[in-house]
Amino acid sequence: MTELEKLAGKLRRFAEVRDWERFHTPKNLAMALAGEVGELLAELQWLTPEEAASVMDDPEAAERLRSEVADIMIYLTRLADVLNIDFVEAAHVKLDKSDRRYDVETYRGSARKAPPLA
């Protein structure tokens, strides 16, 4: 069993013993995930690029960022579990598609968007 599978099981049990499964719908979990991403963004919003690059050097800011990233991981893991998505596998599949879509010769050093794959 992977660490991610252990985490998903722990989160599933956490929700079950509190009778929260009825609240953990895909819509609600996606909304909660978006909210947590917003909280992470708020931590970085007004920082200069230099400040953002060194934000983890500030212990208090680092703890806030770790907490927000943990919340994101928790909601994403729970959402994937509820939807029965292996999100590590899904990420590999998506990366493989992106590898084909953004060939190195054409897109190296470029931020432009590629056309959809046929």
Side-chain angles (χ1 to χ4, degrees), residues 21-111:
E21 299 103 322
R22 60 189 153 153
F23 306 118
H24 286 197
T25 64
K27 177 194 73 76
N28 288 354
L29 290 166
M31 290 174 66
L33 177 59
E36 293 302 336
V37 170
E39 290 179 18
L40 176 62
L41 286 170
E43 290 293 331
L44 301 168
Q45 182 173 9
W46 301 113
L47 301 181
T48 66
E50 296 77 22
E51 290 169 333
S54 63
V55 70
M56 295 303 285
D57 295 340
D58 174 356
E60 290 177 12
E63 180 52 36
R64 290 192 307 272
L65 288 175
R66 274 192 293 276
S67 180
E68 296 308 335
V69 168
D71 287 341
I72 292 165
M73 177 78 172
I74 286 167
Y75 279 118
L76 182 58
T77 302
R78 185 73 181 124
L79 177 61
D81 187 47
V82 166
L83 292 173
N84 199 29
I85 293 172
D86 179 333
F87 75 81
V88 173
E89 178 185 342
H92 282 288
V93 168
K94 180 68 175 187
L95 184 56
D96 291 344
K97 286 180 183 178
S98 294
D99 189 42
R100 290 190 305 278
R101 186 174 178 199
Y102 293 96
D103 65 279
V104 175
E105 290 180 18
T106 305
Y107 291 96
R108 183 177 180 86
S110 172

